[in-house]
Amino acid sequence: MSFFDDMGKFFDNLGGGDEESGASSEVEIVDGAYTGSKRIISIPAKTMKMGGLRLYCNLYLMGVQNTPEPGCWKASKSDDSEVNLRYVDLSGSIIIQFSEECITVDRLGSSPSNKYLMHESMILNGFLDELNSIVYEGSVSEEKRLLTLPEPGNQLEEARDAISFG
């Protein structure tokens, strides 16, 4: 037996669960959706018309790509459940995900620049303003709204409090 065979046996038993003991080797996602991301906002939904809400929010976010400076954000859609806004200095990205239960906003980037954080705050405050208008404004009945919030209904204010430069 070679030295590397012995090393392989040593490392085979580290980190994984033992099938006989029933221990699991699954990794639990503790923070954001992606490695290196941090959950900033989580807004639970009472009801959500996911397709319509996602389209509305996509259009809004595409419109703010040049806010507050031309070319500072680049929007991209990675799949049908999320929108990504990447900042021009590549120090961070905003990842907005839509599911039947909630809307989540994650920051991807281990040390975003101060300029990124200020611009992120502007984008997210505007995004929360749009969600607020969807939930509370207009003459649309509750059952036809794209998004309704569970009681007590203060989730958007709590989300606003979580923004860096809110």
Side-chain angles (χ1 to χ4, degrees), residues 40-84:
I40 303 170
I41 298 171
S42 184
I43 303 169
K46 179 178 171 186
T47 62
M48 183 188 310
K49 294 182 176 30
M50 204 164 76
L53 181 64
R54 189 175 56 242
L55 175 62
Y56 184 94
C57 293
N58 276 335
L59 293 173
Y60 170 76
L61 293 168
M62 295 290 263
V64 296
Q65 290 183 95
N66 292 316
T67 303
E69 298 171 3
C72 63
W73 294 100
K74 179 166 176 51
S76 63
K77 187 177 108 169
S78 64
D79 64 29
D80 285 342
S81 66
E82 72 180 45
V83 179
N84 300 325

Side-chain angles (χ1 to χ4, degrees), residues 1-2 7 71 74 78 83 85 89-90 105 131 145 158:
M1 205 173 238
S2 77
M7 290 297 292
K74 179 166 176 51
S78 64
V83 179
L85 283 173
D89 71 2
L90 301 178
V105 179
L131 291 179
R145 289 192 179 268
E158 289 176 356

Side-chain angles (χ1 to χ4, degrees), residues 64-145:
V64 296
Q65 290 183 95
N66 292 316
T67 303
E69 298 171 3
C72 63
W73 294 100
K74 179 166 176 51
S76 63
K77 187 177 108 169
S78 64
D79 64 29
D80 285 342
S81 66
E82 72 180 45
V83 179
N84 300 325
L85 283 173
R86 188 175 62 236
Y87 194 64
V88 68
D89 71 2
L90 301 178
S91 68
S93 295
I94 301 170
I95 302 166
I96 302 174
Q97 295 183 314
F98 300 89
S99 71
E100 293 294 332
E101 300 84 32
C102 67
I103 299 169
T104 59
V105 179
D106 296 341
R107 175 187 303 131
L108 182 62
S110 57
S111 70
S113 65
N114 281 332
K115 195 170 184 180
Y116 166 87
L117 292 172
M118 289 187 296
H119 290 178
E120 176 191 72
S121 295
M122 294 174 70
I123 296 295
L124 294 180
N125 274 306
F127 179 69
L128 291 173
D129 290 342
E130 291 299 314
L131 291 179
N132 189 68
S133 68
I134 290 169
V135 172
Y136 297 113
E137 296 175 6
S139 60
V140 178
S141 64
E142 185 171 325
E143 60 272 357
K144 292 185 179 180
R145 289 192 179 268

Side-chain angles (χ1 to χ4, degrees), residues 139-160:
S139 60
V140 178
S141 64
E142 185 171 325
E143 60 272 357
K144 292 185 179 180
R145 289 192 179 268
L146 295 176
L147 177 66
T148 60
L149 301 176
E151 293 297 326
N154 64 344
Q155 293 86 353
L156 296 177
E157 290 80 23
E158 289 176 356
R160 205 173 296 278

